[in-house]
Amino acid sequence: MFPTGVTVVTVLDEDGNPRGITANSFTSVSLDPPLVLVCIGNRSFSFPIFCSTSSFAVNLLHAGQADVSSLFASRSPEKFQSTAFGPKHTGAPVLTDCLTWFDCTVHDRVMAGDHLVLIGRVQAFGASGSPGGTAVGTAPLGFCRGRYATVHEAPNAGGEMPHGMQVGYLVEADDGILLQSDGAGGWRLPGGRSRKAERALPLADGSTLPLRPDDSFLYSVFDVAGQDAGCLVYRTRLAADAATMTLPPGLRVFALDALPFEAMPTRETRAMLRRYVRERQADRFGIYIDSSDGGRLAMVDGRPSPWPVAFAENG
């Protein structure tokens, strides 16, 4: 009846083979010592292994991993043939791609009805490409009322930052713009972590996508109905030619006449992108500032230039 996250709980069997199941009954138990628990149904094919193992790992899935959740919820014998993994601390298999992982030794086991309550003591934790940290740039996979759910405000990915703003990037690439999948069929602007224009976009795996800093300019500042945080959008370009590079999973360049407006999260974002399409076609841009119901548009004539160039031209 209420939303939860989705995890894949992994373990090695007595022959050293990786096993794993999907579970959403996961929670923290204690900070000192660091304890977490997960519940394993007694009908699970791997139930006997969890009853005897000395270690296991809990892998929290991100919004783009509904297929991974479904795979590990099945009895497919090929779960780990299509899923990359490796050991961290205890030797339990940890998924290479996940939001966050916890590598645990077994602290206690409690049989409760038709489930085993498996309590683990956390020995190590981290995220894909970011040891000891939290994955940047994506939302967790949610589950509610029998179906996958979307968390719309992803931490550090266009979500609300400590400075109280949602930061997005309108990235020009070839004859289109770069959008990021939300993992549930929707598309959004790639997000940043700072109010200042950054030199690279942070990605979910901890890597970055280089931008052209001299081509990054403030494009739009606006409010979104029902949200406390304002939105700040920079217009920029990829540092490399999109046609010659392999984009990371979840990123795609859309042509201006094929933008998925109806798959975007808010009315204000759709309106901002429609304005951008008109301005780009006319090659005359403006800066939109203020609230969505009473903003101001300052037009900028000519192509934007870095400060040193602009001063030299006008000096």
Side-chain angles (χ1 to χ4, degrees):
M1 295 298 292
F2 58 90
T4 68
V6 182
T7 73
V8 168
V9 188
T10 50
V11 67
L12 293 178
D13 65 17
E14 58 184 8
D15 296 321
N17 299 312
R19 300 290 187 91
I21 62 170
T22 298
N24 66 337
S25 53
F26 167 74
T27 188
S28 61
V29 176
S30 167
L31 291 176
D32 187 16
L35 301 178
V36 297
L37 72 77
V38 63
C39 296
I40 311 295
N42 61 12
R43 294 184 180 181
S44 167
F45 184 73
S46 300
F47 179 77
I49 302 170
F50 285 105
C51 287
S52 60
T53 187
S54 61
S55 62
F56 64 97
V58 182
N59 306 269
L60 278 66
L61 302 185
H62 59 67
Q65 293 184 294
D67 56 338
V68 176
S69 171
S70 298
L71 174 63
F72 279 86
S74 72
R75 294 205 170 192
S76 169
E78 301 179 352
K79 295 178 181 179
F80 287 94
Q81 292 184 15
S82 58
T83 306
F85 66 96
K88 294 297 183 182
H89 182 82
T90 69
V94 172
L95 302 190
T96 302
D97 182 18
C98 63
L99 184 68
T100 308
W101 52 265
F102 298 91
D103 194 1
C104 307
T105 53
V106 173
H107 179 80
D108 200 1
R109 293 182 180 88
V110 179
M111 285 303 305
D114 59 2
H115 276 68
L116 168 69
V117 180
L118 187 61
I119 302 175
R121 181 163 184 158
V122 178
Q123 302 296 330
F125 66 94
S128 300
S130 179
T134 301
V136 173
T138 191
L141 179 64
F143 191 80
C144 184
R145 297 181 179 178
R147 65 181 64 184
Y148 295 116
T150 301
V151 179
H152 290 288
E153 293 188 12
N156 297 334
E160 185 176 352
M161 298 293 102
H163 47 65
M165 297 292 290
Q166 293 180 335
V167 180
Y169 281 83
L170 203 164
V171 183
E172 298 175 351
D174 299 331
D175 294 326
I177 63 172
L178 187 71
L179 295 179
Q180 181 177 11
S181 170
D182 65 6
W187 295 90
R188 62 181 180 228
L189 294 178
R193 289 170 290 188
S194 171
R195 281 189 299 179
K196 296 181 179 180
E198 299 179 271
R199 292 179 174 270
L201 287 176
L203 301 178
D205 62 1
S207 64
T208 58
L209 194 63
L211 303 173
R212 295 182 184 176
D214 288 343
D215 286 348
S216 297
F217 297 88
L218 178 65
Y219 181 69
S220 193
V221 182
F222 57 92
D223 293 332
V224 174
Q227 293 185 13
D228 291 333
C231 293
L232 187 153
V233 177
Y234 286 98
R235 175 177 158 231
T236 186
R237 293 189 63 82
L238 289 177
D241 186 350
T244 62
M245 65 183 298
T246 301
L247 291 173
L251 293 177
R252 176 180 167 186
V253 175
F254 285 86
L256 296 185
D257 59 359
L259 291 175
F261 289 109
E262 299 310 314
M264 293 179 182
T266 67
R267 176 181 61 83
E268 291 82 358
T269 300
R270 294 191 292 271
M272 183 267 297
L273 284 174
R274 287 191 173 99
R275 173 172 68 87
Y276 168 80
V277 171
R278 294 193 300 269
E279 291 180 341
R280 184 164 173 182
Q281 290 170 342
D283 198 24
R284 185 167 183 260
F285 291 89
I287 300 175
Y288 177 77
I289 303 174
D290 221 328
S291 63
S292 59
D293 59 353
R296 302 187 306 278
L297 187 63
M299 298 309 298
V300 180
D301 292 322
R303 299 191 62 80
S305 301
W307 282 116
V309 176
F311 282 133
E313 290 175 348
N314 296 323

